[in-house]
Amino acid sequence: MGDKLGEMVKKMYLIICILFAFNLIAEEADLIKQFDRLDLKANPQVEAKIFSITGGVNNISLTNVKIAKPSRQSLKKYGLISRKDKYAIRVLNEEGNQIMLAGLGDPFTLHIDHIGYEDEATFQAYIAQDFEIAIPVSVNAAYFILLSQDEFGFKEIKKIKVN
């Protein structure tokens, strides 16, 4: 009787773990939803609004907005988000709907290598970084949100309104 009860407990535990994993995947897929319409993607052959942003570990600020053709390199640099991205930027429209989520990597941490101490935090420094986000002219961006990502998901660091 004890073996059957133990097996049943193991099976229930496995079912709960699987349901939890599916729930996490579904939530993450909803959060990471990228552009699903072609008119929301910036194109290097068409003029777009290019937002120049200065950011740091705890802050972002909008420094400039211009209309120009974005470079292919800038479009590739900040693209789909992955688990390796420590920071991300979310762009919302006036209604608060997400129109873009771009992974930034870890642009604010300067790693200084010293032989034998590669993993030491004392050889790291936090720096400000400039980057550009291109959005089609037809899309109205109202807010930029700097996010940090850890093993539990995204956390909002700073939200700024586009004037």
Side-chain angles (χ1 to χ4, degrees):
M1 179 86 176
D3 275 344
K4 288 184 180 182
L5 183 62
E7 281 296 314
M8 189 179 342
V9 169
K10 287 180 185 178
K11 287 180 183 178
M12 289 299 291
Y13 180 73
L14 181 63
I15 289 170
I16 290 170
C17 288
I18 290 172
L19 290 174
F20 181 72
F22 280 132
N23 185 37
L24 283 178
I25 291 169
E27 286 177 10
E28 186 172 300
D30 186 45
L31 183 62
I32 298 180
K33 183 180 178 189
Q34 299 292 326
F35 297 131
D36 56 354
R37 293 179 22 210
L38 190 57
D39 62 336
L40 294 180
K41 294 181 182 176
N43 183 339
Q45 298 168 345
V46 178
E47 287 187 336
K49 290 181 205 170
I50 300 176
F51 295 89
S52 299
I53 298 172
T54 298
V57 175
N58 296 315
N59 196 15
I60 60 169
S61 61
L62 184 63
T63 57
N64 189 23
V65 180
K66 64 183 177 184
I67 296 180
K69 291 182 181 178
S71 70
R72 288 186 188 275
Q73 183 178 3
S74 70
L75 292 175
K76 287 180 185 177
K77 189 172 185 179
Y78 306 114
L80 297 175
I81 195 162
S82 74
R83 293 186 187 275
K84 293 181 182 180
D85 289 314
K86 187 170 181 179
Y87 296 94
I89 191 137
R90 176 182 290 154
V91 183
L92 305 177
N93 63 14
E94 199 65 49
E95 292 81 37
N97 298 324
Q98 178 176 300
I99 57 175
M100 181 180 178
L101 180 64
L104 301 177
D106 187 5
F108 311 124
T109 306
L110 177 64
H111 298 278
I112 304 164
D113 289 336
H114 188 277
I115 297 173
Y117 299 96
E118 290 84 2
D119 296 328
E120 293 290 325
T122 57
F123 294 104
Q124 295 179 357
Y126 295 110
I127 58 171
Q129 190 70 267
D130 297 326
F131 48 94
E132 292 183 337
I133 302 293
I135 297 176
V137 175
S138 62
V139 177
N140 290 324
Y143 299 95
F144 284 91
I145 303 172
L146 179 64
L147 305 169
S148 66
Q149 179 178 222
D150 60 15
E151 63 272 9
F152 301 111
F154 292 101
K155 182 179 89 172
E156 184 176 314
I157 296 174
K158 175 95 184 235
K159 181 177 185 178
I160 59 171
K161 181 160 177 52
V162 177
N163 295 331

